[in-house]
Structure formats: structure tokens, C-alpha cells
Amino acid sequence: MGFDLASQGWRANRRVSLATGLGLCLADLPGAGRPLLLLHGFTDHGISYQPLLRGLSGHRLIIPDLRGHGASDQGESYRISDFSDDIESLIDRLALDRPVLVGHSLGAIVATDLASRMGNRIGGLITLAGTLRPDGPATAHMQQAVSGFTDPINSDDPFFADWHAGAEKVSPAFHESLVRAACAMPVSVWQSVIAEVDKTDLTARAAHVAAPALVIGGADDPIFGPAHHRALAAALRAEAHLLPDTSHNPHWQHPDIVAARIRDFLARQA
């Protein structure tokens, strides 16, 4: 088990043992209608979706910590397929009926991969700052920076300024909880995830996504810019919403707008 989420006021109120052998901690917030399964980004944990909770209230929200993140167990490997295996097992264990997947960054990659292999068992796919191929100068720079990290990670490292762009829109306590949790992750996990993400190409898999999809991204995202979002939307046959003056964390910078886009999407699928 990793970072203690309870000490930050975030209640991971369930722990589920998966068929993959791992235990995932999650928040399971009651609500009506089709459940939303929210998958966070790399180095984050479930609390990263806190700004969206008010805008999505009324829906059942299931927000796990991915393997190696937050209070969930670490894994032996961190391939995208490993993350997808975990979440597919979680869907089975919770007996979720055609959940809507909402993924941010790494979570968007996992959600897209999972939707491609689960077919009609997924009721919808919503990506925030997602991509088909996480390549380019920004990700190369990130991999180079992470390669030089040592345990324990320094919370004042300049890496966080770029990685958490848009954090000025959220409370300092919220942002500090994310930084502390990221620094609690072993460097070996950081490096393993980055190495696997760098090899990812979902171009072919995206063609097999049967669920209706929505792509939301930032027009000023320095990591996965507009070209990534447009390519993802084209592959998923989805509409794309590029939010102006928005970086890699649209759900922090404009939670009301993002929540409204999600609610509108869900209403059209009802």
C-alpha cells in the first residue's frame, strides 16, 4: 500500500481484490443511472477528480487508484495492458453494467485500450488530455527528466511546474496532496510506467472501440497538444472539444465546463 489518502480527507471507501492478484483502493460514490468509472493520470490518484465531483453529482462515480498509485498495490509490471486488466477485473468484481469510462492522460490511454477490447460491455468513452500515441518532444523531455530521479523524489523539482500546469486554479491543499502522493511513488514505478507509455500506439486498437466517445483537451496542452486530440477524435469517430487557455489538466482548470460537456454527452446517450 502506498500514500495514505485518508490523511488528505479523501475517502477511498472500498478496497477490491482483483483477479489479477492486486488490491485497488477506490472511492465509490452512490448515484443513479449508468456508472462512471474515472481513471486518473500518471502520478495522480483518485483525489485528482475532486474538482469534478460537484458537477457530476447524482451519478454513481467509481474512482480507483491505478496500480502503483495512491493507496493501491504496486504491480510487477506497468504495461497499458496491465492497467486495463486491472480495470476490467474491477468492472467484473463490481458487476458494472456498461459503465462509462472517463480517463485523464494515462487514464485516457488505459480507457481507450480497455474500450477497444471490451466492445459493447462499455457504455461510453470520455478522454481528457488523451492521445493515440504519446510521442513527441514533450514526452521525450519528460522521460529524460524522470530518468534522473532518485528516491525520495523532491517535491520542489521543476518537473512539477510543467506536469501540473493549471494547478493555480485549484486549492493549494488539493495540489499539495497530489504532489505528496506522486513523491511517495518509488522512482522505479515512475520509470517503468514512462517506459511502457512511450511504446504505446493505440492507432489500430482505436478502430475497435464500439462505444460512443467524447474527446476533451486543452488548446495549450504542452504534452498532448491539439493534434493529438484531433487524431484521437478522428480514430474514435468522436466530437472533439478543445478548450482555450487550457493546459494538460482541463478538469482542474475548467471543472464546470468539463462536467457540463460530460453531462451533455451522457444525456445524448440515454
Side-chain angles (χ1 to χ4, degrees):
M1 295 259 296
F3 187 66
D4 180 11
L5 301 182
S7 68
Q8 303 304 309
W10 176 253
R11 296 190 177 278
N13 57 13
R14 296 188 68 172
R15 178 176 171 82
V16 178
S17 296
L18 305 178
T20 57
L22 269 67
L24 293 192
C25 287
L26 58 121
D28 190 347
L29 309 180
R34 189 165 293 158
L36 274 63
L37 183 51
L38 282 65
L39 308 180
H40 62 75
F42 174 49
T43 80
D44 289 340
H45 51 84
I47 197 175
S48 68
Y49 278 111
Q50 194 170 55
L52 275 184
L53 298 188
R54 182 178 63 181
L56 297 179
S57 63
H59 295 276
R60 183 184 179 188
L61 305 177
I62 301 160
I63 316 173
D65 297 338
L66 299 178
R67 64 165 58 200
H69 293 70
S72 290
D73 291 345
Q74 294 183 21
E76 293 184 0
S77 62
Y78 293 91
R79 297 166 298 185
I80 297 303
S81 60
D82 294 323
F83 290 109
S84 294
D85 287 344
D86 291 341
I87 302 305
E88 183 172 5
S89 179
L90 179 64
I91 290 171
D92 291 341
R93 287 296 174 95
L94 298 181
L96 301 181
D97 180 21
R98 302 187 70 236
V100 174
L101 304 178
V102 181
H104 169 241
S105 193
L106 170 64
I109 295 171
V110 174
T112 302
D113 179 67
L114 187 60
S116 75
R117 71 194 219 182
M118 291 191 68
N120 290 327
R121 293 180 60 199
I122 298 300
L125 170 64
I126 301 170
T127 65
L128 309 176
T131 184
L132 292 171
R133 297 179 58 188
D135 54 4
T139 49
H141 173 74
M142 180 171 61
Q143 188 169 23
Q144 182 178 16
V146 171
S147 69
F149 282 2
T150 58
D151 290 315
I153 296 171
N154 180 7
S155 62
D156 294 324
D157 193 284
F159 173 88
F160 287 105
D162 292 332
W163 189 236
H164 286 169
E168 69 279 358
K169 298 291 187 179
V170 297
S171 73
F174 168 81
H175 182 229
E176 174 63 19
S177 71
L178 291 172
V179 174
R180 289 182 58 195
C183 291
M185 292 171 57
V187 167
S188 60
V189 175
W190 280 66
Q191 293 172 343
S192 295
V193 176
I194 286 289
E196 292 297 338
V197 167
D198 187 59
K199 296 185 291 188
T200 299
D201 185 347
L202 297 178
T203 304
R205 296 194 67 86
H208 298 285
V209 173
L214 171 67
V215 171
I216 299 175
D220 300 324
D221 188 338
I223 299 172
F224 303 144
H228 286 264
H229 307 313
R230 293 190 185 102
L232 180 59
L236 296 174
R237 303 165 299 282
E239 59 182 293
H241 292 271
L242 292 178
L243 306 183
D245 301 317
T246 304
S247 187
H248 191 62
N249 298 289
H251 54 315
W252 299 357
Q253 292 177 275
H254 302 292
D256 292 342
I257 294 175
V258 171
R261 296 286 189 274
I262 292 175
R263 290 197 310 270
D264 180 64
F265 173 81
L266 295 174
R268 286 185 278 117
Q269 308 311 317

